[in-house]
Amino acid sequence: MNDSLSRLATDYWEHQLEVGPTRALLLGDHRYDDRHESVSRAAEDARISTLRAFARDAEAIDEAGLTADERITRDVLIQTARAEADHVAARLTEIAVNHAVGVQALLPVEIPQLPITEPEHADRLVGKYRAIARMFRELAGRIREGVASGRSPVDLHVDRTVAFIDGYLASDVAADPYLRVRVPGAFDAEAEAAWKERLAEVIVEEIRPAYAAFRDVIHGEARPVARSIDRPGLVTVPGGEAAYRAAIRRYVTLALEPEGIHRVGLEQVERLAEEYRALGGSVLGTSDLAEIFDRLRNDPDLHFTDGPSVVAAAERALRRAKERMVEWFGRLPEADCRVSETSTGPIAFYYPPAEDGSRPGTFFVNTSRPQDWGTFQIESMAYHEGIPGHHLQLAIAQELDTVPAFRRHASISAYAEGWGLYAERLADEMGLYAGDLDRFGMLWGDSMRACRLVVDTGMHALGWSRQQAVDYIVENSPMAVGQIEAEVDRYIGMPGQALSYMIGRLEIDRLRADAEAAMGARFELAGFHDVVIGSGMVPLTTLGRMVSEWAA
């Protein structure tokens, strides 16, 4: 690789690990085990400056003398660094109170995944827990800064976050989620007990008081001036319109405006209605859209009643996918994919494998409300999060030993989630759905992602209320109302991220159609798939160039 670009790529990745110690640890890099991410304004200022310097240095490298792969490296570095800098500069930490996707909800999911495999890792975790406490104190300060500048979180989210923290602080320390951590194999029962006693001491003396301090600030200072849940979007926050456009650039990686994205969502919802009517007539005996949605949403015979059954169905779907994937892809990952049950976080999500092989890729299913899972729904979710979706995409990326590390571990939402949604339709081509009822899950997934385009832009650009967003999804999808409310709260807390899925899927569909038209009989689907997921995550603009060059 070009020497200047190689050094820059290495330095960029080192920076990412240093400011993201939890990510480093999850990847099996133990150099920063005793640290946790900082959310202070000083840390943000330093990150913005550093990221913009990386983007400038990459732009200064002449593209003319680079190989095709080096051009990809340069593109990814410039676009990710610039987009991340703009996103951080929006200072959304100042309104970061969200019961669904706030740090207090996500940390209990991450903690059990930490690869604490050696006694020295266990020792350093004590320091990390102290740093977690410091992060909550920093977050309290940032919320205070936001209030002082006229920016405030949403009232409902403050109330529910306060309730969550109150429940946590009242819970038994012996059952604390920070104690549900992997134990080094070398520890005997006595060593484990002594270590967990040290962790419990930090939990009692530092973590819980820091939670309480955060709780007191959001309840006592932010709540009296909180935005109404009728005004949850960024458009109601000072600087919010620019912040939302920065979020779109970061998550979508295409030059799109909120109003255009909103229209695409409306069009997709209308197209899906016809597919529901066709499938409903053959499977449910009705082509009435409202009746189809009601049956899928409320018929107890079409829903799970317990968590283990959800997990078992996901495992069956993944077994079928593993058997078939060799026919549809030229390159397959070495790492395995497993299913794991959780009671916190989003309804489903994926963690990539650790680079050191200590942890396989994991598809998590949230079974806190198993009745919200349709029996028809779990297969499409398994294909999205697992195989042929995120697991193939992310595990293959991590195993690309000829590309810079930052590309192997890049996080580009439109590419990642676009592929995940594409995988749900690809699974239908692969014959993976057990029956036509399960194909409703594919439409269910499309509905959720199409509705996201409408309601995310609706709230953050057009001023919709939370209830408007909920009502729209209820009317235009078969999702359970409880899931819809949780999803809408997630969109409020992560502006723009929900746009990634359908926009990315539609772009991959477009690139595939263009390549087929250009190549004719030369087109091979496995080859197309290898191009799309064979170079790590890239912005959609870069992916378009890659596919065009392959087709030519």
Side-chain angles (χ1 to χ4, degrees):
M1 178 182 288
N2 174 281
D3 288 343
S4 296
L5 184 60
S6 178
R7 285 193 300 271
L8 195 62
T10 299
D11 291 346
Y12 183 56
W13 179 235
E14 287 300 315
H15 169 72
Q16 299 277 44
L17 295 174
E18 189 173 1
V19 300
T22 302
R23 182 187 188 191
L25 177 52
L26 286 166
L27 290 171
D29 184 336
H30 293 278
R31 291 177 295 165
Y32 310 106
D33 283 5
D34 59 348
R35 305 185 196 179
H36 193 72
E37 288 72 12
S38 173
V39 297
S40 70
R41 177 172 283 268
E44 282 186 352
D45 287 342
R47 183 145 170 76
I48 293 164
S49 177
T50 302
L51 288 169
R52 288 182 173 156
F54 274 120
R56 286 195 304 270
D57 290 346
E59 283 184 312
I61 296 174
D62 186 3
E63 188 177 27
L66 302 180
T67 66
D69 197 62
E70 288 171 344
R71 290 202 307 274
I72 294 173
T73 296
R74 179 179 179 273
D75 274 3
V76 177
L77 203 163
I78 292 169
Q79 294 191 54
T80 56
R82 180 179 292 141
E84 185 65 18
D86 291 346
H87 182 72
V88 176
R91 310 293 188 183
L92 296 184
T93 308
E94 295 177 350
I95 58 171
V97 180
N98 189 287
H99 60 285
V101 292
V103 290
Q104 79 288 336
L106 299 182
L107 273 170
V109 178
E110 289 183 336
I111 293 298
Q113 307 309 311
L114 301 179
I116 309 302
T117 57
E118 302 295 337
E120 57 266 30
H121 304 160
D123 286 340
R124 291 198 288 268
L125 189 69
V126 177
K128 183 173 185 66
Y129 279 12
R130 292 194 178 102
I132 288 173
R134 184 166 56 250
M135 181 271 296
F136 273 102
R137 293 193 295 271
E138 290 174 348
L139 187 56
R142 299 304 307 282
I143 299 300
R144 185 176 283 128
E145 288 177 19
V147 169
S149 63
R151 308 174 97 204
S152 58
V154 175
D155 53 11
L156 177 68
H157 292 178
V158 172
D159 293 342
R160 292 186 176 179
T161 301
V162 167
F164 178 94
I165 293 175
D166 285 345
Y168 168 63
L169 295 176
S171 67
D172 184 359
V173 174
D176 195 286
Y178 288 97
L179 293 177
R180 292 198 293 269
V181 66
R182 185 172 176 178
V183 180
F187 276 6
D188 58 19
E190 184 178 355
E192 178 182 349
W195 174 53
K196 288 196 171 180
E197 186 175 341
R198 292 171 64 199
L199 295 179
E201 184 178 335
V202 178
I203 290 167
V204 171
E205 295 182 0
E206 298 194 43
I207 288 181
R208 290 192 174 206
Y211 267 78
F214 175 59
R215 179 246 187 242
D216 289 346
V217 167
I218 64 174
H219 177 68
E221 299 180 37
R223 183 59 176 85
V225 295
R227 286 176 291 139
S228 165
I229 196 60
D230 291 334
R231 302 171 62 249
L234 285 182
V235 70
T236 67
V237 176
E241 291 186 32
Y244 190 48
R245 281 175 164 75
I248 291 173
R249 289 194 300 273
R250 181 197 190 207
Y251 288 120
V252 172
T253 70
L254 294 173
L256 300 176
E257 292 295 319
E259 295 78 11
I261 294 172
H262 191 83
R263 287 193 297 273
V264 170
L266 294 173
E267 292 165 1
Q268 290 298 313
V269 167
E270 186 176 343
R271 180 189 61 78
L272 282 162
E274 295 307 312
E275 290 194 73
Y276 275 112
R277 292 187 181 101
L279 193 57
S282 61
V283 177
L284 300 177
T286 178
S287 58
D288 180 82
L289 197 60
E291 186 176 350
I292 292 168
F293 287 167
D294 181 68
R295 287 277 303 279
L296 295 176
R297 182 181 291 135
N298 297 314
D299 188 338
D301 291 338
L302 300 179
H303 287 78
F304 289 100
T305 57
D306 62 275
S309 296
V310 181
V311 174
E315 289 173 336
R316 287 193 298 272
L318 279 186
R319 281 196 297 271
R320 285 198 300 275
K322 288 176 185 179
E323 292 170 0
R324 300 274 182 85
M325 62 183 178
V326 67
E327 305 165 27
W328 296 78
F329 297 87
R331 177 167 188 157
L332 300 172
E334 296 177 8
D336 195 14
C337 183
R338 69 180 180 190
V339 180
S340 185
E341 189 173 5
T342 182
S343 60
T344 60
I347 59 172
F349 54 99
Y350 172 82
Y351 264 108
E355 270 199 307
D356 62 5
S358 61
R359 184 190 68 249
T362 306
F363 162 37
F364 286 92
V365 288
N366 186 333
T367 59
S368 59
R369 289 178 54 85
Q371 68 274 16
D372 285 349
W373 279 99
T375 56
F376 55 87
Q377 179 190 350
I378 189 62
E379 287 194 9
S380 62
M381 199 67 79
Y383 302 140
H384 178 111
E385 302 291 348
I387 298 170
H390 290 326
H391 179 67
L392 257 62
Q393 174 191 59
L394 298 176
I396 286 174
Q398 286 192 178
E399 294 165 10
L400 296 173
D401 53 10
T402 61
V403 304
F406 89 90
R407 277 179 52 195
R408 295 199 300 272
H409 303 292
S411 179
I412 301 175
S413 194
Y415 170 90
E417 301 302 352
W419 174 262
L421 190 53
Y422 172 84
E424 295 183 35
R425 290 276 177 170
L426 177 63
D428 197 29
E429 292 184 67
M430 295 170 68
L432 295 181
Y433 291 103
D436 278 347
L437 178 62
D438 300 286
R439 294 181 67 245
F440 268 121
M442 177 180 69
L443 302 187
W444 182 100
D446 272 1
S447 288
M448 177 168 64
R449 280 54 174 246
C451 286
R452 282 174 174 174
L453 301 184
V454 178
V455 302
D456 195 273
T457 54
M459 290 188 294
H460 292 297
L462 305 179
W464 283 23
S465 70
R466 177 181 184 268
Q467 193 59 51
Q468 275 181 277
V470 170
D471 290 346
Y472 181 85
I473 303 177
V474 168
E475 184 178 348
N476 292 284
S477 87
M479 293 175 67
V481 175
Q483 284 182 330
I484 291 171
E485 292 174 341
E487 283 287 308
V488 169
D489 288 331
R490 169 187 161 185
Y491 310 154
I492 295 170
M494 300 178 69
Q497 193 274 341
L499 308 176
S500 309
Y501 302 73
M502 183 58 75
I503 294 297
R505 206 291 300 283
L506 293 174
E507 183 66 3
I508 293 173
D509 285 344
R510 185 188 71 79
L511 294 175
R512 174 174 161 176
D514 287 353
E516 288 186 84
M519 298 176 75
R522 294 185 299 115
F523 180 83
E524 292 182 354
L525 189 52
F528 172 77
H529 291 155
D530 289 350
V531 170
V532 173
I533 63 173
S535 296
M537 290 200 196
V538 297
L540 295 181
T541 50
T542 303
L543 182 64
R545 190 183 72 199
M546 291 164 53
V547 172
S548 295
E549 291 175 354
W550 171 74

